[in-house]
Amino acid sequence: MLKHLYDTDCVTWSPQGKLFQVEYAMEAVKQGSICLGLKSNDFVVLCSLKRQPSELAGYQEKQFKIDDHMAIAIAGLTADARVLCKYMRTECLEYKYTYESHHPVGRLVFKVAEKSQHKTQSGAKRPYGVGLLVAGIDPNGVHLFETCPSGNYYEYKCQAIGSRSQAARTYFESWFHLFEKSTLEQLILHGLSALKKAIMEDEELNERNVEVGILGKNQKFIHLNAQELKDYIVKLETFNANAQIQQE
Amino acid sequence: MIFNSEISGQQQHTTSPVVTGGSVIALVYNGGVIVGTDTLCSYGSMAAFKNVQKIAQISKNTIYASSGEFSDFQQVVKELAKIDRSALQYDDGVHPSPKDYGNFLARLSYKKRCKINPLYLQNVVAGFHNGERYLALVDIYGTYLESNFITTGFASYFCKAIISNYWNENCTLDQAKQVIRECFKVLFCRDCRAHDVIQLAYVDEQGTHIEEQERVDTKWDFNGFKFRANEKLHTQ
């Protein structure tokens, strides 16, 4: 394939109608470690698998609070994620300063998407190499969005991005019809179950490499602490999604 | 948001108002918020424009009125309308609440004040959102105060006694209207720049209602006036 003829910069189309630089940027997202999000009527839960560059190193954080009512989980280039995170936090602060209320979630995602698109239409720029899962609450309800380097954004009931995320998405496809009415605990356990599907055979979930963040209508964004994570991972052993169906 | 004077470099500062509107009185009642103004714009001591609507509907559930420089009132109405238009661009069905407008106006007023070029206004923003009544005063300095009743201008001096004696926050709409009418009656008698034609507007669960202008009842057939009982005419 003569890809190399058309992939030098963002301002070159391929004959098949593709922008290869943008597609390569989306690859960077797929290389990042998995993060997923799922929502019920009242809560959004973000779960991520943290990578440890070496035994000596700490684990790379993947979830960041944007405002009390909004948080993101990242997959891809962490440095690019920091830029977008800072932008989102600044926008939220400005909105709060001007209007004394929370920045509507969809609107901020739209702004991030606009910013991302801008980078795909210039000879001198490159797209952001990070995908975000944006969890947020606003008067319109509970939201989960995904943003792409291409500048597209989508709203989801549940979504997983990053390495081996297809396995998590397959889990979601089987069980997402239960999420709407799930309790917070069930939602977290579903999230961790999906995460478990996506780890390698020799890996295991523990309180160091898992990050869980929750956000609710009356719950500001918080991370679960190490003890809570341990408890949930233990509960995961006996968690049976089937049991939830029988309950309803 | 840049004003034309700033672009042209000929920075003019508002030091005194030219065409001014009179007092605004706003009260909360059981089920909504009501705002009353008179319909006069004065050109100094001349009653120049006697048929002016000084209450603007900003959105489905927000109204805005102010006393002070009337051209600034008109400019603020444009600026507040701009906010909701930008909501169309985002296409997300989220509209500013009355509180968003009030706070935006406070930030705007403060910015202008910091440049020593204020919006020469005492602003009142009123609305009804998610079952809650909203009423706020934003003054010329950008001070923001939410309250159950607001008076601007001379009403702050003459009408607070009437309001505290005859109004409470859970009165009916009609009771609140009567209190405001009584206040404007007193204002017409005592404030040189007041007018006897007033306009009321209220916001409740159903939305905004701006009423027709009405003339305040005034009584002039006192014996003292008719028969000049207390005056010594030089012909007597």
Side-chain angles (χ1 to χ4, degrees):
Chain A
M1 237 239 32
L2 297 167
K3 250 190 190 183
H4 61 278
L5 288 180
Y6 308 111
D7 66 358
T8 319
D9 51 33
C10 272
V11 289
T12 307
W13 289 95
S14 82
Q16 287 74 39
K18 290 182 190 290
L19 291 167
F20 281 121
Q21 278 298 304
V22 178
E23 306 232 334
Y24 295 163
M26 315 252 271
E27 263 312 302
V29 177
K30 292 180 195 162
Q31 297 299 322
S33 73
I34 185 174
C35 60
L36 54 87
L38 56 163
K39 67 174 189 178
S40 68
N41 281 335
D42 303 302
F43 289 99
V44 199
V45 170
L46 294 170
C47 299
S48 355
L49 196 66
K50 298 195 280 193
R51 255 188 206 149
Q52 194 188 22
S54 78
E55 284 226 1
L56 301 173
Y59 288 84
Q60 173 60 60
E61 299 246 311
K62 298 199 16 109
Q63 291 178 20
F64 302 99
K65 174 175 158 173
I66 301 294
D67 197 351
D68 288 332
H69 70 299
M70 207 188 307
I72 57 171
I74 65 166
L77 266 52
T78 312
D80 284 3
R82 258 205 308 275
V83 171
L84 288 178
C85 183
K86 185 175 183 183
Y87 173 71
M88 292 173 83
R89 283 174 176 165
T90 310
E91 288 298 306
C92 279
L93 280 174
E94 273 186 24
Y95 193 93
K96 197 156 205 180
Y97 174 77
T98 309
Y99 299 103
E100 278 289 316
S101 63
H102 288 141
H103 200 305
V105 184
R107 212 169 277 195
L108 188 56
V109 173
F110 178 93
K111 283 182 183 173
V112 170
E114 281 229 309
K115 223 166 125 69
S116 302
Q117 189 280 339
H118 198 248
K119 304 280 197 181
T120 69
Q121 206 168 7
S122 167
K125 301 188 166 82
R126 65 159 179 85
Y128 290 113
V130 64
L132 307 179
L133 287 178
V134 183
I137 311 270
D138 68 17
N140 273 353
V142 175
H143 299 283
L144 178 68
F145 287 93
E146 180 198 353
T147 71
C148 287
S150 58
N152 280 327
Y153 67 100
Y154 316 90
E155 188 161 8
Y156 282 99
K157 297 179 185 142
C158 45
Q159 170 68 323
I161 57 176
S163 178
R164 279 186 299 281
S165 52
Q166 185 52 54
R169 280 198 293 273
T170 310
Y171 177 91
F172 282 153
E173 275 162 30
S174 312
W175 298 111
F176 78 94
H177 56 280
L178 296 176
F179 294 168
E180 219 178 296
K181 304 232 181 72
S182 290
T183 63
L184 177 59
E185 183 170 308
Q186 286 168 334
L187 211 60
I188 295 174
L189 289 168
H190 276 299
L192 289 172
S193 303
L195 204 62
K196 200 164 185 185
K197 297 275 183 202
I199 57 176
M200 304 219 279
E201 297 78 43
D202 55 346
E203 263 186 314
E204 55 152 28
L205 297 182
N206 59 54
E207 75 281 3
R208 288 180 308 278
N209 68 2
V210 170
E211 196 176 7
V212 175
I214 61 178
L215 184 61
K217 282 186 180 163
N218 297 314
Q219 170 70 60
K220 292 186 194 176
F221 178 74
I222 53 161
H223 282 113
L224 294 185
N225 62 37
Q227 187 56 50
E228 287 167 326
L229 278 172
K230 265 196 199 146
D231 294 338
Y232 271 109
I233 291 168
V234 166
K235 282 191 192 144
L236 201 56
E237 306 292 318
T238 50
F239 178 61
N240 187 356
N242 277 309
Q244 193 177 342
I245 304 177
Q246 281 150 18
Q247 252 180 342
E248 282 168 22
Chain B
M1 189 201 62
I2 300 179
F3 289 87
N4 280 330
S5 61
E6 288 168 35
I7 296 174
S8 70
Q10 286 184 314
Q11 179 76 71
Q12 308 249 336
H13 294 263
T14 308
T15 48
S16 57
V18 178
V19 175
T20 54
S23 312
V24 177
I25 301 171
L27 305 171
V28 130
Y29 65 90
N30 189 12
V33 187
I34 182 166
V35 176
T37 65
D38 64 14
T39 57
L40 172 68
C41 277
S42 310
Y43 183 64
S45 61
M46 175 192 171
F49 309 105
K50 296 211 282 189
N51 207 2
V52 182
Q53 180 173 320
K54 293 193 288 177
I55 306 177
Q57 175 170 5
I58 302 297
S59 77
K60 195 168 87 73
N61 60 355
T62 315
I63 53 179
Y64 161 72
S66 64
S67 58
E69 171 60 53
F70 193 65
S71 60
D72 282 347
F73 167 85
Q74 291 174 324
Q75 184 66 16
V76 168
V77 169
K78 286 198 180 113
E79 293 301 333
L80 293 180
K82 261 191 216 172
I83 303 173
D84 202 23
R85 274 209 297 282
S86 73
L88 289 174
Q89 182 195 321
Y90 292 111
D91 215 7
D92 57 3
V94 176
H95 290 280
S97 68
K99 189 161 180 217
D100 293 350
Y101 286 114
N103 279 289
F104 175 82
L105 187 51
R107 295 293 107 234
L108 179 63
S109 301
Y110 187 76
K111 172 187 169 174
K112 297 272 295 160
R113 159 261 182 100
C114 287
K115 295 187 177 181
I116 324 288
N117 186 16
L119 286 165
Y120 218 95
L121 298 170
Q122 301 262 0
N123 304 284
V124 176
V125 183
F128 195 87
H129 181 68
N130 279 351
E132 296 211 357
R133 308 168 291 194
Y134 172 80
L135 182 58
L137 169 75
V138 178
D139 75 4
I140 189 177
Y141 308 107
T143 317
Y144 172 85
L145 292 164
E146 285 182 33
S147 183
N148 278 340
F149 75 98
I150 306 263
T151 53
T152 70
F154 267 99
S156 301
Y157 297 99
F158 292 121
C159 302
K160 284 202 168 127
I162 302 173
I163 292 171
S164 72
N165 285 337
Y166 295 105
W167 165 87
N168 68 73
E169 58 176 8
N170 290 315
C171 67
T172 65
L173 175 60
D174 284 326
Q175 286 171 332
K177 282 187 189 176
Q178 275 310 111
V179 171
I180 295 183
R181 286 178 186 131
E182 193 62 32
C183 289
F184 276 107
K185 205 190 293 190
V186 168
L187 279 176
F188 181 58
C189 289
R190 289 298 185 178
D191 178 7
C192 289
R193 309 283 181 264
H195 194 40
D196 60 348
V197 178
I198 66 167
Q199 192 165 26
L200 302 173
Y202 59 96
V203 196
D204 58 19
E205 218 175 5
Q206 275 80 45
T208 308
H209 316 262
I210 301 183
E211 302 208 321
E212 290 297 309
Q213 298 172 354
E214 53 186 81
R215 193 172 287 274
V216 202
D217 288 331
T218 48
K219 179 180 164 61
W220 299 105
D221 56 347
F222 296 103
N223 280 331
F225 282 156
K226 285 205 293 199
F227 304 113
R228 306 255 189 229
N230 287 339
E231 293 171 24
K232 261 207 156 88
L233 293 179
H234 68 269
T235 51
Q236 282 177 339

